[in-house]
Amino acid sequence: MSDVITLLPDHIANQIAAGEVIQRPASAVKELLENAVDAGATEIQLFLTDAGKRLIQVIDNGKGMSETDARMCFERHATSKIKQIDDLFHIRTMGFRGEALASIAAVARVELKTKRAEDNLGVYIEIENSQVLKQEACHCAVGTNISMKNLFFNVPARRNFLKSNNSELRHVIDEFIRVSLANPKILFTCTHNGVTSFHLEPGSHKQRFLQLLGNQYNAKLIPVKEQTDYLDIYGFVGKPDSARKTKSEQYFFVNDRYIKSPYLSHAVSAAFENLIPKDSHPIYALYFELDSSHIDINVHPTKQEIKFDDERLIYSFTRAAVKHALAQYSVAPPMDFSLNATVQQSEAINQPITEITREAIKESHLYQSFTQKNVAHKLDTVRTGSLTDWKDFFNPSTPNLSVHQGKTSQIAQQLYTRSDGQSLDPDAIFLQVQKTYIVAPFKTGYIIVHQQHAHERILYEKYAALAVQQKSGTQAQLFPIKLEFGAVDAALMNDLIPDLEGIGYKIESFGGNSFILHGVPADVPTGNEKDNVELLLEQYKHFSTDLNFAPREKLLRCLARQQAVKAGQKLSQKEMRQLVSDLFACNTPFSSPSGLPAFVEFDEEKLFQLFGN
Ligand code: ADP
Ligand code: MG
């Protein structure tokens, strides 16, 4: 037999490697902006066409590259930032893996113009499929001007994975904001399809945060500042009354690098405990400085996750620093602040990490189940929650309790044909279990309804029907309400106005980041409009990353989800009865709009099976 192993040609190896670093326009934007930061630029301009799918261009006034370096930078593992392995543990630059430009050149057409201050002429290079097409001397400004066109033109499978322009643009803007928050001394601009949506003058950390949040937050930010030998922390948290229904304005930076950390978020939330409602989230931008030997940045190709050598110390420090800041501004009762043994033995630090991890997993599961399409109506494949307890209660080896959509069971038939709920026994007592499941008896058995899934279904169908009737579905506001958003949300809001109107909102752009709300869909309770619209946007953002629904459909689903009774809410007999009968008035009562089961049934047959024979 002949040998079968061959070495992949470079351009294929680069394309494969690119998969890790460049997943979408936003990842390329991040890499290019970070290169400009590393080059010492004081001005960085980002230009995009079609959310970066057609063009991403970054122009910086940094140190530029020599002719040789300009050619070299597209080679894999070509970096000026580390020379030996030990350097990895003292990194202060954003890049160091030398992969970004090689990856970009493998999946897009790249044009680079760059010049150093000491050179008379710059160099122009065109590269595609990792092949240099052109290289020549050129006149250009000091710095680097790099464009990448038609991302993934040669990798159709990846191109097809890209989401709508709206959705990709949102990711791009998220990255832009993170890099610009990390570097407030640098002037940043962002121009999309010829419209400049961000022009961020250099300033302090606070000024930069306010440029993005909106100036109305000026009086709402509390400074955080603590220094120790091990770690400095600096930044801002919002006063409790600025807490949001969303987690969108929460940022951590470690040595000027944006990082994601559910662990640290938990620490900040812990500091706000009892100051804000459970479903609200503080806003913050917190900057950590510590010796880079205490962190490992190289745990993930995109470097957004890092490892601290002493996570528990960072946790307790963060919590204590935020608490201290809140206390100083008389927002919270004073506490004795010190990072001594007592703090280290505090409840926070001794709290088992499993609790936190569990939180994180729970969250991501919720998120997943929300975004997964057509999750089968089967209990064994989706989150069963406490229903497993029910199962165990009856019979630990109960096989596969499922709601059959094809075969309509006795109860479903009774319910489904009598949409007014008449088949419910008027004297039957409903039972609410764990403030989540409604046990509703029927003549031939009983069903267990998940109150939240069921209510989402009910509202979804109701709002969808109202949306069809359009205008008649709007309730006019007596007093128009002014809404202020941060720059990102305002951009999104502008995009969504037609679709929001389509589902019954009446919203008018008021210039800048302001909007006027004149009406909300009929049947949406009034009084909390501002929170509700904020939450709607936030849910919309999450939603849009995973599913290819039309914006209006997404909004409907988000609205239903937002207004639905939540698991954990106590319901009266009357409410339970109403909910169950409304559910069976639906066209598709079996599941929530996102596909989670709305009820399971135990009819005569099933009960018989369960008890053997
Ligand atoms: P890394 O940033 O990890 O070193 P990249 O592939 O992003 O790898 O870049 C390779 C090299 O190209 C960098 O190390 C740097 O020397 C050079 N380079 C990239 N972008 C710029 C820029 N905008 N200005 C100056 N030099 C740059
Ligand atoms: Mg780089």
Side-chain angles (χ1 to χ4, degrees):
M1 246 166 90
S2 60
D3 300 330
V4 290
I5 299 178
T6 59
L7 278 176
L8 289 173
D10 264 359
H11 70 280
I12 297 183
N14 283 344
Q15 271 184 19
I16 294 172
E20 278 203 353
V21 191
I22 309 294
Q23 288 120 13
R24 56 185 351 151
S27 7
V29 166
K30 169 178 186 285
E31 295 296 337
L32 296 180
L33 292 177
E34 289 186 347
N35 279 349
V37 170
D38 283 345
T42 56
E43 287 188 25
I44 301 178
Q45 303 174 63
L46 169 66
F47 295 90
L48 306 155
T49 309
D50 291 351
K53 291 174 184 173
R54 284 259 296 268
L55 169 77
I56 298 171
Q57 181 175 26
V58 173
I59 304 179
D60 70 57
N61 65 350
K63 64 180 182 222
M65 284 180 261
S66 71
E67 192 185 333
T68 320
D69 285 350
R71 182 66 183 258
M72 267 291 280
C73 71
F74 294 108
E75 296 294 326
R76 200 134 51 101
H77 309 308
T79 179
S80 54
K81 299 170 193 172
I82 61 172
K83 300 228 172 342
Q84 53 205 32
I85 192 69
D86 211 40
D87 296 344
L88 260 186
F89 301 97
H90 309 282
I91 281 171
R92 287 302 312 210
T93 51
M94 294 297 110
F96 57 83
R97 295 166 57 119
E99 294 174 313
L101 292 184
S103 299
I104 287 170
V107 293
R109 179 190 179 91
V110 179
E111 294 171 21
L112 168 72
K113 267 188 214 164
T114 184
K115 188 168 92 100
R116 299 181 302 178
E118 61 262 45
D119 298 329
N120 283 329
L121 283 177
V123 51
Y124 172 80
I125 291 183
E126 233 177 85
I127 184 164
E128 185 180 282
N129 265 335
S130 308
Q131 308 283 318
V132 177
L133 303 179
K134 200 186 239 179
Q135 172 168 358
E136 59 194 29
C138 74
H139 288 281
C140 59
V142 172
T144 299
N145 177 340
I146 184 163
S147 341
M148 48 177 292
K149 296 181 176 164
N150 301 333
L151 178 63
F152 299 138
F153 76 100
N154 54 351
V155 201
R158 289 199 154 266
R159 200 176 52 227
N160 294 338
F161 264 103
L162 293 180
K163 300 290 190 305
S164 68
N165 284 2
N166 269 341
S167 167
E168 293 299 341
L169 183 62
R170 220 141 27 242
H171 287 285
V172 166
I173 289 178
D174 280 346
E175 294 296 353
F176 174 83
I177 284 179
R178 291 163 182 173
V179 177
S180 63
L181 271 175
N183 299 281
K185 300 251 160 357
I186 299 177
L187 183 151
F188 283 92
T189 66
C190 171
T191 304
H192 180 233
N193 289 344
V195 179
T196 301
S197 45
F198 294 89
H199 180 101
L200 308 175
E201 290 289 339
S204 64
H205 284 91
K206 183 173 184 187
Q207 283 164 337
R208 182 56 53 89
F209 199 23
L210 287 174
Q211 285 168 334
L212 296 164
L213 284 175
N215 249 328
Q216 71 272 24
Y217 280 86
N218 197 353
K220 301 205 164 171
L221 296 183
I222 295 172
V224 177
K225 193 171 165 64
E226 300 293 346
Q227 290 181 309
T228 65
D229 289 345
Y230 180 78
L231 162 80
D232 294 349
I233 178 170
Y234 172 79
F236 302 90
V237 295
K239 289 184 180 165
D241 67 343
S242 67
R244 300 192 164 192
K245 296 283 168 214
T246 78
K247 288 188 176 177
S248 56
E249 316 291 349
Q250 303 189 329
Y251 304 94
F252 289 116
F253 302 88
V254 174
N255 295 352
D256 298 332
R257 177 191 304 279
Y258 169 83
I259 59 146
K260 290 192 174 132
S261 172
Y263 190 67
L264 289 182
S265 310
H266 190 277
V268 178
S269 301
F272 272 88
E273 198 171 15
N274 299 328
L275 292 176
I276 55 176
K278 277 237 157 6
D279 59 347
S280 291
H281 309 280
I283 59 175
Y284 53 82
L286 293 172
Y287 300 81
F288 298 77
E289 280 285 329
L290 72 170
D291 193 292
S292 33
S293 61
H294 294 307
I295 53 180
D296 186 355
I297 308 163
N298 199 26
V299 291
H300 194 264
T302 64
K303 311 182 214 97
Q304 279 193 352
E305 285 154 41
I306 65 172
K307 258 174 77 117
F308 295 98
D309 62 357
D310 191 342
E311 295 227 297
R312 304 218 302 180
L313 184 65
I314 307 265
Y315 182 100
S316 64
F317 184 78
T318 305
R319 179 169 172 270
V322 173
K323 269 200 138 166
H324 187 221
L326 290 170
Q328 269 188 330
Y329 283 78
S330 313
V331 174
M335 65 172 279
D336 185 19
F337 177 78
S338 53
L339 249 192
N340 56 20
T342 28
V343 172
Q344 293 224 37
Q345 281 155 22
S346 70
E347 177 206 335
I349 209 158
N350 290 315
Q351 189 170 12
I353 185 154
T354 51
E355 184 59 29
I356 296 157
T357 346
R358 206 164 62 210
E359 280 278 325
I361 292 167
K362 229 170 46 191
E363 264 188 40
S364 70
H365 190 103
L366 255 182
Y367 175 68
Q368 262 181 15
S369 52
F370 180 38
T371 48
Q372 242 167 17
K373 197 156 101 182
N374 300 331
V375 191
H377 308 291
K378 267 199 251 137
L379 279 176
D380 50 353
T381 56
V382 295
R383 180 171 54 128
T384 51
S386 318
L387 268 169
T388 36
D389 303 342
W390 272 91
K391 266 196 211 178
D392 296 346
F393 183 67
F394 286 113
N395 180 344
S397 57
T398 306
N400 193 17
L401 301 176
S402 59
V403 177
H404 338 266
Q405 199 169 9
K407 166 183 169 266
T408 316
S409 70
Q410 298 168 34
I411 296 174
Q413 247 162 26
Q414 288 171 37
L415 288 168
Y416 205 39
T417 47
R418 301 299 306 265
S419 62
D420 49 6
Q422 285 301 304
S423 54
L424 296 171
D425 175 353
D427 297 321
I429 302 290
F430 286 32
L431 196 64
Q432 194 187 19
V433 179
Q434 299 198 349
K435 296 198 192 130
T436 299
Y437 308 101
I438 302 169
V439 183
F442 284 91
K443 298 200 175 82
T444 54
Y446 65 96
I447 61 169
I448 304 177
V449 175
H450 189 289
Q451 64 191 43
Q452 184 175 341
H453 299 172
H455 201 213
E456 271 180 43
R457 161 59 58 189
I458 295 165
L459 292 179
Y460 169 76
E461 293 201 2
K462 189 154 142 191
Y463 294 144
L466 283 174
V468 174
Q469 305 159 21
Q470 285 246 7
K471 300 236 156 41
S472 58
T474 303
Q475 28 180 337
Q477 297 282 319
L478 282 180
F479 302 103
I481 294 170
K482 188 161 176 213
L483 306 171
E484 289 277 354
F485 293 101
V488 192
D489 285 353
L492 173 60
M493 194 68 189
N494 271 317
D495 284 352
L496 285 180
I497 284 182
D499 292 301
L500 283 163
E501 301 211 322
I503 68 168
Y505 282 92
K506 253 178 98 58
I507 294 181
E508 177 195 351
S509 168
F510 199 58
N513 297 337
S514 312
F515 297 84
I516 304 286
L517 181 67
H518 294 286
V520 299
D523 281 338
V524 170
T526 49
N528 267 330
E529 290 80 359
K530 196 170 157 12
D531 281 357
N532 288 351
V533 174
E534 256 184 25
L535 182 59
L536 193 63
L537 284 190
E538 180 62 13
Q539 290 179 325
Y540 183 88
K541 283 190 270 188
H542 281 296
F543 208 120
S544 56
T545 56
D546 272 54
L547 285 178
N548 270 327
F549 288 129
R552 193 165 303 190
E553 173 69 15
K554 280 182 212 161
L555 285 171
L556 277 176
R557 287 170 179 234
C558 293
L559 187 63
R561 188 175 170 77
Q562 174 190 108
Q563 295 297 335
V565 155
K566 301 296 180 297
Q569 190 169 323
K570 193 162 168 25
L571 300 179
S572 68
Q573 281 293 324
K574 200 169 155 226
E575 288 165 327
M576 289 193 274
R577 184 175 294 274
Q578 186 68 49
L579 195 137
V580 172
S581 70
D582 285 353
L583 176 66
F584 288 96
C586 286
N587 291 325
T588 322
F590 303 99
S591 67
S592 73
S594 49
L596 295 171
F599 69 96
V600 287
E601 56 191 303
F602 295 78
D603 59 13
E604 227 174 350
E605 194 186 333
K606 172 126 308 141
L607 290 170
F608 188 73
Q609 272 171 21
L610 287 174
F611 288 98
N613 305 315

